[in-house]
Each structure stands twice: as structure tokens, then as C-alpha cells.
Amino acid sequence: MRYGVYLPNQGAFADVGVLVELAQAAEPAGWDGFFIWDELLPLHAHNEAVRATLGESDDAADAMVALTAVAAATERIRLGALVTAVARLKPEAFARQAVTLDQLSGGRLILGVGLGHPDDQFTAFGLDVDLRTRAAMVDEFLDLVNRLWSGEPVEFTGKYYACHGVAMAPTPAQRPRIPIWIGAGGSYRAPRRRAARWDGFAPASEQWPVELIPPETYAEIAEDLRAAGAPTSQYDLVLISNADATEPTPATIPEYERSGVNWLLVQALTVADARARILAGPVGGEVGPAGSD
């Protein structure tokens, strides 16, 4: 099991200096990853648990800029955002930004990608919220980005995106590409099929961030991923802890490992709690409340 910290990009965490401080503390404490949300607009209006802990601040940091600062201030820890709603972005710009950050970090970037939620992150800017349309856009977007990372001239004509004879350089530091994790609701099978084409799956419970997905559901997810063609090795299946990080417990972590989970992301929704959890470290799978036995 690899252990990561999972923090908002909103409220007090919108201060990039705070994120850098926390990432610098996480690296020597033995954490394997440092991940942040990529929400364009605040979530407090849509999620009671978020509102109760983050408050009603409208502050939000740009995830890619924040991760660039984190990359420059660290040396070992993997980093990424969960999840980026790529249907509202330009694939050519995203491909170049990702390569630049991957090069800067020495090949430590992981890209978490999804359809996006809630809908106001699209409707507020006049963008399509139809889920089928967004799903098709995500598939095309990722196909084009993956080709652009090859460094070879790309000819691409899709329904939503096009590229004519463009070769981008440099290519990513990582091979065969920057890892792509698909983030989506854990009860849906279509995202599992999408995730099987890429490098990892980070499902969320329907009651995120309060509840988490049980081990038996992860076993079903892993089976669906294998049936859809996901590799049996070098594939990341991600568990996100509940908001107060009381679940999973050290006793249940082996159940998740047997179900195929190999990344556990521990959430914290206040800066004080994040500091305490980070300094306590992930040793022995102790992911209960900070300071508990």
C-alpha cells in the first residue's frame, strides 16, 4: 500500500504557501503522494460536510499552478490533482502544461481526470452539462493528449477536437506517459471501462467525503477493470478515506489490499488537521484521527 495526503484547493488551502508547507512536511514524514482537489468554484454550496469544515470561503487556488509550486519545493513525493474536469479545457494547452510540470518534478506527476461535478462548474461558463457529451469529450481529449505526448506529428479529427500535423516537444519525463487516473462515482460501470484504458481508477462514494466504498465493492471494481482489459500489474486502484479519516482503520486496510487497492489517500479538510496527520506519518497504516492509538 502506498499512502497519500488528499487536500482541498479551497478555503484556507487556497493559499499556495500553505500547500507548499504541507507538502514539504509530508515528504520527510514518509508519505508517497500529495494530492489536491481541482475545483474551479467552491463546493460549500453543494456539500454539507465541506461547508461544515471549510466554511463558506469562495477562495480557490488553480490546481496546476499550486502543484507547480509543490513540485519546485519537493524532491521525492508524487503529486497530482483529483479530479480535473478536462471537458472544460483545451487538450493542447493541458498536454503542454502537464509535460512542463512532469519535467519540472522529475517525473512525479499523476493526472486525475473526470467528467466534473457539480454542474455549475460548467453552466456558469455556458458549457454543456450533458453527461454523455462530457464523457465523449473526455475520451477524445485523453486520446489526443496521449498522442501529443508522443512527440510525433499528430493528425486527429474528432467530433470535439482536432489537431493537424502538430508535433510537441519535449515529451514527458515518464514513460510510456504521465499516469492518468480516472476519477468517478464508484457505483457506475462506464467509468470503470474508461479507467481500464488508462493507468488507475480513483472511485468516490455517493456520500463523499463522509462515507467510503467498502472492500467488497473494490473487489467488484477490480474484477470489472480486469475484464475491461486493465493490466494485472502496474495499475493503481485508489481508496479515498472519509473526511475525518476514521475509516479505513488499520484493521480493515488488509481487506482493501486483498481487494486490489494499492493507494490510500487520507483526507483532511482543515489545515490544522492536515498538519497533524502529515506529521504523524503513514507508518503501519495508522490513518485514524490524529493523535489516536
Side-chain angles (χ1 to χ4, degrees):
M1 184 74 75
R2 285 167 288 181
Y3 294 88
V5 181
Y6 187 39
L7 305 176
N9 67 326
Q10 303 185 348
F13 296 94
D15 183 339
V16 174
V18 169
L19 293 174
V20 167
E21 172 212 327
L22 294 171
Q24 287 178 314
E27 195 163 59
W31 294 89
D32 301 297
F34 187 88
F35 297 89
I36 62 174
W37 301 356
D38 189 357
E39 301 295 339
L40 189 62
L41 300 177
L43 290 183
H44 58 67
H46 304 277
N47 192 298
E48 183 177 346
V50 170
R51 183 168 60 252
T53 49
L54 286 182
E56 298 192 0
S57 168
D58 289 340
D59 293 354
D62 180 87
M64 197 67 88
V65 173
L67 290 172
T68 300
V70 167
T74 56
E75 297 179 355
R76 176 194 59 81
I77 202 165
R78 301 302 298 267
L79 50 98
L82 288 172
V83 295
T84 300
V86 295
R88 57 177 170 79
L89 304 178
K90 294 290 187 180
E92 63 276 14
F94 184 78
R96 178 52 52 233
Q97 288 175 333
V99 167
T100 301
L101 181 49
D102 194 49
Q103 291 278 351
L104 173 67
S105 68
R108 293 184 284 134
L109 179 63
I110 295 171
L111 294 170
V113 171
L115 270 61
H117 179 80
D119 287 348
D120 66 355
Q121 303 211 33
F122 290 83
T123 57
F125 303 99
L127 301 174
D128 199 330
V129 298
D130 178 73
L131 284 177
R132 290 183 181 274
T133 299
R134 278 152 58 187
M137 292 177 73
V138 168
D139 288 337
E140 254 190 45
F141 187 106
L142 293 178
D143 282 343
L144 177 51
V145 165
N146 193 42
R147 296 189 199 188
L148 288 170
W149 286 341
S150 71
E152 301 295 325
V154 175
E155 285 290 341
F156 186 96
T157 301
K159 183 175 181 180
Y160 304 101
Y161 308 106
C163 179
H164 303 299
V166 176
M168 283 191 168
T171 56
Q174 299 182 76
R175 293 290 184 270
R177 61 170 169 258
I178 302 168
I180 293 171
W181 290 354
I182 300 299
S187 61
Y188 302 106
R189 281 192 155 82
R192 300 178 190 179
R193 293 192 293 271
R194 176 174 299 108
R197 297 180 53 206
W198 301 103
D199 309 293
F201 186 38
S205 73
E206 299 305 310
Q207 300 301 318
W208 175 90
V210 178
E211 297 178 359
L212 78 165
I213 299 169
E216 55 269 24
T217 301
Y218 268 96
E220 175 190 288
I221 289 170
E223 183 176 344
D224 283 350
L225 289 168
R226 288 191 294 269
T232 56
S233 63
Q234 303 299 314
Y235 190 88
D236 294 323
L237 186 54
V238 183
L239 170 64
I240 300 172
S241 77
N242 64 348
D244 60 9
T246 56
E247 293 289 345
T249 66
T252 59
I253 287 174
E255 298 179 44
Y256 281 100
E257 289 183 299
R258 288 191 290 272
S259 298
V261 173
N262 55 10
W263 269 97
L264 170 57
L265 304 189
V266 177
Q267 295 195 80
L269 299 185
T270 69
V271 174
D273 193 33
R275 286 195 182 105
R277 290 188 197 288
I278 287 169
L279 292 175
V283 179
E286 295 175 0
V287 296
S292 66
D293 292 331

